[in-house]
Amino acid sequence: MNKLFFQRMRDKIQNSGFPITSRNIYASYAAFFFIFVLYYLLQWPITGADTDLWYHLNSGRYIFANGSIPKDSYFSFIRPPREWVDYYWFFQVVVYKIYHLFNYYGLVILRAIVFSVLVLLIFLFFFCRQGIERPYLLMVAIFCLYILFFVPRYHLIRPHIFTYLFIVMFLYILELHPGKCFLLPVIAVFWMNFHGITYPLVLLMTMAYLIETVYTIKRQKRKIQKSDLNIIIPLVFSMGAVYVTPHGSELTWIPFVPTGFASLYIQELQPFAFSELFSFTVTKFCPSFPTIFNILFILTAVLFIIVVSTKSLRMSHLILIIGGTVLLLKGNRFKYEFMLLAVPVIRGSFTALSTEYLKKFLPRPVSIVLIGLILLIPFICVKEIFSNGSRFPFSLRNLPHGVGVFLNKINTGGTVLNHPDRGGYHQWMLYPRYKIMMDMEVPFLFTNEDFYIVNNAFKNRLFLQKLIDQYDPSFITVSIKNTFFRDVMTSYNRYRIVFFDDCEVLYADQDRYPAIVAAYAIKSFDPFSLAQTSIASIKTLKDYLPMMKELLKIADIYPDNGIVNNCLSVLYTREGKNETAIGYVDNIIMNYPESATGYILKGDILQEIGQFDSAVKNYKMALKRWDVAEIYRKIGMVYYKQKRFGNAYNTLVGAMDVYSVETTYKDLYYLIDSAIKIDKKGEAEILFRYAYQSIPLSEEEWLKRYKELGDILGQGAPK
């Protein structure tokens, strides 16, 4: 009966116009995998991995407010203003308008749409118009690798996400729909206004297909036909798209600005090293990001050789590969462009290969194992890529949001000396009330020398003094991890700490703003130290009331401050006000759900008030974010208090290293007692002998407890 049922279902599917073939099965798998990735991408917040998005948003706001494209460093107090060509002005207009209408939710949707269209076009490249017998398993594997390779790049919203899309649009039309080449100049114009610095890519692709078309005409010794002109004319017009921008010819020199020095401090500009191609890292079946590229690159090289050996390599594809390789040699950031320019060659190799061809090299058992791995591993990788997500739709992590909130509250205006790394977010938060020093638009807006001077000002007293003498900044904001800068600033009495968030500490000029400093200066604690050792410093603090008063003032201005919420939760717990403490802990969990800190603190409080099951639940949430022995120890202690000695023993024995100096006789006591309670006396006796040796003679209470354990075990005190 079951056999008949499945036969009928198969017949229905066959008759529906979607026959059950290898192509359709693998294509369906590829489509399902993409939907799986898209589901996670739509839940991934806008994060501050870098702050480029926000200087784009700020320039978009500037364009709407002023009706003109910025031509200099309008948001900076640097003198003289740095002039430049805003080669991504239309991208800035688009992202700002979307943000203005839909906030960060709109940006999440925009990112997902651009990524979806990119993946859809790659999917069509691989699966459209392919014959019945093709290496579909290989096609699916490469398609999934492309998704895994590009999806981390789409965590950020920057002009390059549109460049990748436009590259594939160009190639898709030229390869699969040459009759629609009339669309190419339109795409090129949009592209040049979204990300004009990439116009050499337009020239590379147009020249590749122009040369191939002309070569084909000459080889066939025929006249130019209408079908040829339908390709040649749009390609020629596309080459001129670089001039259809508000900048005219000014854009042409931008791609050739030297970036050699910038590669020393901007990672993606660092040169590509071929020696790294044979470095592979796989953790829990999940290859690292460099490993994914290495696999793709090696597969591309092999497939290129196959196409050459079968004499099916097209001239345009050869030019694209050569051009992509030249780009790759210029820097790591061009890995993405290379892989997209390689898509036509990869597609061509699918035509050259066949299933029977691959079977010669892959025995059936090996094929079965490969199929299983290829179909399973992509899902594991996606779970890893999107693990531990931040607050949605916008994460505060690594962003000086609180400093911006404070400066906007006092609303004094002025100049803010900042490190370039977070300059994009500072200008978004502060312009036009304040002007900052600079952002990371280097070396196209600011110079390498600008970055060198400002970067060193936060590391070197001489550079800092020169900047202060030259610009006399109203405020200085610095990374909360930069304790060197803190020590240097002790010699500058006019600058006082008035605020901090989880990212930066803000100094104000008390000569210029005496009322601000009088109202907000932090006197009772050091924010730099508090960020590193908050729990330890508070627990040993005797008079914490002045500190609490200042922390509450900061929390009133900026309730999302994780460090302040952390400290206040500990202080209120110390006073026995556990409900109030939990409120501050919940703020941490809400704003930093990817962090274990909030869950650990909440578990500690719940354990203290006897809500043991809820405490364990929070500790387990913390473990998902930070798998360390200390959290297991906390869980084990909760089980011990619940008299669940089996659970306590199994948890504690895995968490404690008996031979570590960090494992104390106090920790071992609960492990030994749990072992006795579950009748593991052999293990208890061994642990007892180790632990008893380390009890100080002054610890009479603990000596008494161990004596009781020794009596139960039938052992006296070890000699």
Side-chain angles (χ1 to χ4, degrees), residues 46-59 88 91 104 156-158 394-401 418-429 436 438-441 503-504:
I46 304 300
T47 62
D50 64 38
T51 62
D52 292 13
L53 167 63
W54 289 278
Y55 67 62
H56 290 304
L57 286 171
N58 188 50
S59 289
Y88 30 46
F91 168 80
Y104 287 105
L156 303 174
I157 299 180
R158 288 167 52 184
F394 167 55
S395 172
L396 297 173
R397 182 168 290 277
N398 298 322
L399 294 174
H401 187 70
N418 68 291
H419 192 279
D421 276 351
R422 299 188 179 104
Y425 197 75
H426 280 305
Q427 63 164 288
W428 166 245
M429 287 289 292
I436 66 167
M438 65 177 291
D439 61 16
M440 286 300 294
E441 294 179 90
C503 194
E504 294 190 348

Side-chain angles (χ1 to χ4, degrees), residues 439-505:
D439 61 16
M440 286 300 294
E441 294 179 90
V442 185
F444 304 103
L445 173 55
F446 298 100
T447 66
N448 290 314
E449 184 180 0
D450 293 333
F451 180 86
Y452 177 77
I453 292 170
V454 178
N455 180 55
N456 278 285
F458 290 89
K459 302 176 181 179
N460 184 293
R461 184 188 298 270
L462 176 63
F463 282 85
L464 177 62
Q465 184 63 60
K466 287 183 176 180
L467 279 183
I468 290 176
D469 291 343
Q470 182 178 0
Y471 292 108
D472 189 27
S474 313
F475 302 91
I476 303 175
T477 182
V478 60
S479 169
I480 201 166
K481 297 178 181 179
N482 191 344
T483 54
F484 171 82
F485 190 85
R486 172 200 61 188
D487 298 337
V488 168
M489 289 301 289
T490 56
S491 60
Y492 292 88
N493 294 327
R494 56 180 283 210
Y495 288 102
R496 300 291 301 278
I497 296 175
V498 292
F499 203 79
F500 72 97
D501 56 25
D502 299 313
C503 194
E504 294 190 348
V505 176

Side-chain angles (χ1 to χ4, degrees), residues 585-604:
V585 171
D586 286 339
N587 281 343
I588 300 173
I589 293 173
M590 178 182 68
N591 290 303
Y592 299 101
E594 74 279 15
S595 172
T597 302
Y599 295 102
I600 294 172
L601 287 170
K602 193 167 185 177
D604 290 345

Side-chain angles (χ1 to χ4, degrees), residues 316-360:
S316 59
H317 296 178
L318 175 62
I319 295 172
L320 292 176
I321 284 292
I322 293 172
T325 304
V326 171
L327 282 173
L328 188 60
L329 293 173
K330 288 180 64 65
N332 279 316
R333 71 182 305 169
F334 296 108
K335 288 179 177 179
Y336 306 94
E337 285 83 354
F338 172 84
M339 289 315 310
L340 292 176
L341 292 171
V343 166
V345 169
I346 294 173
R347 183 179 189 275
S349 72
F350 296 153
T351 304
L353 289 169
S354 69
T355 305
E356 295 299 323
Y357 183 85
L358 291 176
K359 283 181 179 178
K360 295 178 182 178

